[in-house]
Amino acid sequence: MLTALENGVKGGAWFSLIDKVYAETTLYAAARRMTADPEKAAGVDHITPEHYARDLTRNTRQLADELRQGTYQPSAVRRCWIPKPGSKEKRPLGIPTVRDRVVQAGLRDVLEPIFERDFAEQSYGFRPGRGCKDALRRVDELLKEGYTTVLDVDLKSYFDTIPHQPLLDRVRQKVSDGRVLTLIEQFLKQGVMEGLSQWTPEEGSPQGAVISPLLSNIYLDPLDHMMAEQGFQMVRYADDFVVLCRNREEADAALAQVQAWTATAGLTLHPTKTRIVDADTEGFDFLGYHFKHRDRYPRAKSLKKLQDTIRHKTRRPHGHSMLWIIAEVNSTLRGWFGYFKHTTKGYVFADLDVWVRMRLRSILRKRSGRRGKARPGMDSRRWPKAYFATHGLFNLEAAYATARQSLKRKVNH
């Protein structure tokens, strides 16, 4: 298969792939990954990853036999709703059963290298060896090169509205194995169970399905290539993308092309969230950051999501020790800082440090018999910064200073 990927296959389409999907080595490797996190939710069959992993070899062989014999049938997807960061809105999440996740992961492992070799350069989401930071770095490069008029595109409910037949037609351009195509179609038409209700979707690929990110990239790949061929500087991460232009006329032309393509593809641009902005004066959000002029820093929704998480972990009626609470807070702060350490406005971290200490002082204040939230002055003297440092509280401002020094040393060398 690796040789064929290098040299190409006759007619450009793969005729025999199902045997690679149901190979026990493929499924076992997929099963190991899908059960690595025992905390992940169960599907409609109530079997957790931990329970499934107890007899992984037998479960893998059973799946392989069902796929080989053509008797495998996916279960319904359990739908739940999760909050959108920084918003009162919620988005649907589909939770497949563990066994369906395993088959989807095996299917993805076989299909991904076939499509990956021809994916466009400006696509960064859910691709091996690429990630958010690569996309952000590219945006930063283009802004510095003078591409400061930005078409900020929002595809309305993209994952839920991908048309099935056009998507399958795009898969067929490289895959001619009828059993693999049938398997993909089965996953697209999996029943959705919400409470006691169940229905079959006529469009879309559920968020939460292992195969959905790859299918979403396959469907948008022609747009990527079209924009590149016309000379537009597009940066896409899944369904989130921007087109960076040198002037308003170029941005208007890019918008016209995107509008025409999405209409043909059966997709809808959000009427208010799709807009053309000046990066120097208005700024724009992309992958959690806000870009404005030559600065980049966490967007308002990213800050709100962090603060909501910290608030939950620092409620005043808390039964755990301060060391335990700080350890929980640190796990959130370290992860958040790891992503947002490329911020150009360091005061963001200093302000957050002050706020986090205030939350912790409020807990200490309550435990010492005092009412209300922590106040500047007396409470800050009673529990100074040094107190939290000795308890191991992660300091965002200090971590940022260290990161900046490290970056300067790299540049100087």
Side-chain angles (χ1 to χ4, degrees):
M1 185 175 180
L2 289 171
T3 303
L5 284 169
E6 287 294 323
N7 302 327
V9 291
K10 188 176 181 180
W14 291 73
F15 285 89
S16 181
L17 288 174
I18 191 65
D19 59 314
K20 298 166 183 63
V21 176
Y22 65 60
E24 287 188 24
T25 50
T26 302
L27 293 176
Y28 188 78
R32 289 288 297 272
R33 295 198 307 276
M34 293 302 104
T35 57
D37 184 358
E39 299 298 319
K40 285 202 171 181
V44 295
D45 60 359
H46 306 293
I47 295 176
T48 64
E50 182 180 17
H51 184 268
Y52 191 89
R54 289 175 189 168
D55 201 350
L56 206 59
T57 301
R58 185 181 67 83
N59 288 331
T60 299
R61 285 175 180 165
Q62 183 178 338
L63 269 183
D65 288 341
E66 291 180 23
L67 287 165
R68 188 182 300 110
Q69 295 164 13
T71 59
Y72 169 80
Q73 290 290 328
S75 303
V77 171
R78 181 166 68 85
R79 170 167 283 191
C80 63
W81 294 83
I82 60 174
K84 286 186 175 182
S87 169
K88 293 182 180 179
E89 297 178 32
K90 293 186 177 183
R91 65 181 179 90
L93 182 69
I95 304 176
T97 62
V98 179
R99 71 195 303 271
D100 287 345
R101 285 176 232 173
V102 171
V103 175
Q104 288 190 26
L107 181 61
R108 181 193 60 194
D109 290 347
V110 171
L111 293 178
E112 186 174 69
I114 294 171
F115 289 92
E116 173 64 28
R117 65 193 300 272
D118 294 322
F119 277 157
E121 181 67 23
Q122 67 266 38
S123 167
Y124 294 89
F126 306 111
R127 295 184 60 187
R130 291 176 162 234
C132 288
K133 290 187 178 181
D134 299 301
L136 292 166
R137 193 175 296 114
R138 179 58 180 157
V139 167
D140 195 50
E141 289 172 356
L142 289 167
L143 289 171
K144 288 175 180 175
E145 290 173 14
Y147 293 85
T148 56
T149 304
V150 180
L151 169 60
D152 186 2
V153 179
D154 187 284
L155 291 173
K156 190 174 181 181
S157 302
Y158 171 62
F159 280 89
D160 293 329
T161 59
I162 302 174
H164 287 173
Q165 284 309 311
L167 170 59
L168 288 167
D169 288 343
R170 288 188 188 157
V171 176
R172 285 189 188 97
Q173 291 174 6
K174 293 182 183 295
V175 176
S176 295
D177 187 320
R179 292 179 64 185
V180 167
L181 292 167
T182 298
L183 194 57
I184 295 172
E185 189 168 12
Q186 284 179 313
F187 285 128
L188 290 174
K189 296 185 181 299
Q190 270 181 285
V192 177
M193 183 171 286
E194 184 174 1
L196 298 177
S197 301
Q198 183 171 338
W199 70 94
T200 301
E202 296 181 0
E203 60 184 7
S205 185
Q207 295 186 65
V210 179
I211 197 71
S212 285
L214 175 61
L215 295 178
S216 73
N217 275 337
I218 290 171
Y219 198 64
L220 289 179
D221 187 57
L223 172 64
D224 296 338
H225 285 286
M226 181 194 78
M227 296 297 282
E229 287 164 5
Q230 295 186 13
F232 292 112
Q233 300 291 344
M234 187 169 93
V235 181
R236 181 174 71 81
Y237 190 96
D239 60 332
D240 194 0
F241 65 94
V242 288
V243 185
L244 291 96
C245 307
R246 290 194 180 275
N247 51 56
R248 178 72 192 215
E249 291 74 24
E250 186 181 337
D252 285 333
L255 176 58
Q257 290 297 323
V258 173
Q259 285 173 327
W261 188 90
T262 51
T264 304
L267 302 174
T268 304
L269 295 180
H270 196 289
T272 58
K273 294 181 181 179
T274 297
R275 60 199 185 109
I276 296 172
V277 299
D278 186 319
D280 286 332
T281 58
E282 300 169 84
F284 63 97
D285 294 339
F286 187 60
L287 299 181
Y289 275 87
H290 184 74
F291 290 85
K292 187 174 182 181
H293 193 46
R294 295 187 179 276
D295 288 316
R296 58 185 179 276
Y297 46 91
R299 67 174 185 164
K301 287 183 178 181
S302 300
L303 286 169
K304 185 178 184 305
K305 183 181 179 182
L306 171 68
Q307 290 181 313
D308 287 346
T309 302
I310 297 296
R311 281 191 187 96
H312 178 73
K313 292 185 174 185
T314 57
R315 291 168 297 175
R316 275 176 282 171
H318 217 301
H320 294 285
S321 70
M322 183 53 62
L323 282 172
W324 189 95
I325 295 169
I326 286 176
E328 286 292 296
V329 169
N330 281 351
S331 67
T332 298
L333 293 178
R334 285 196 173 98
W336 195 85
F337 177 76
Y339 187 77
F340 287 105
K341 64 183 178 183
H342 304 287
T343 294
T344 56
K345 293 188 175 182
Y347 68 80
V348 169
F349 300 114
D351 291 349
L352 281 170
D353 281 334
V354 171
W355 181 80
V356 170
R357 288 194 295 269
M358 181 274 291
R359 294 289 304 177
L360 295 172
R361 288 186 183 114
S362 294
I363 296 173
L364 293 167
R365 182 180 172 85
K366 181 176 178 61
R367 290 181 178 180
S368 63
R370 295 172 174 84
R371 294 181 180 180
K373 297 179 180 179
R375 301 168 186 172
M378 183 62 72
D379 287 334
S380 297
R381 290 191 292 273
R382 186 177 289 114
W383 300 290
K385 287 171 63 175
Y387 171 87
F388 297 105
T390 59
H391 281 69
L393 179 64
F394 183 75
N395 188 287
L396 292 164
E397 186 179 18
Y400 181 67
T402 301
R404 298 290 287 181
Q405 285 297 324
S406 176
L407 180 61
K408 285 180 183 178
R409 284 195 292 270
K410 286 181 181 178
V411 171
N412 291 335
H413 283 86

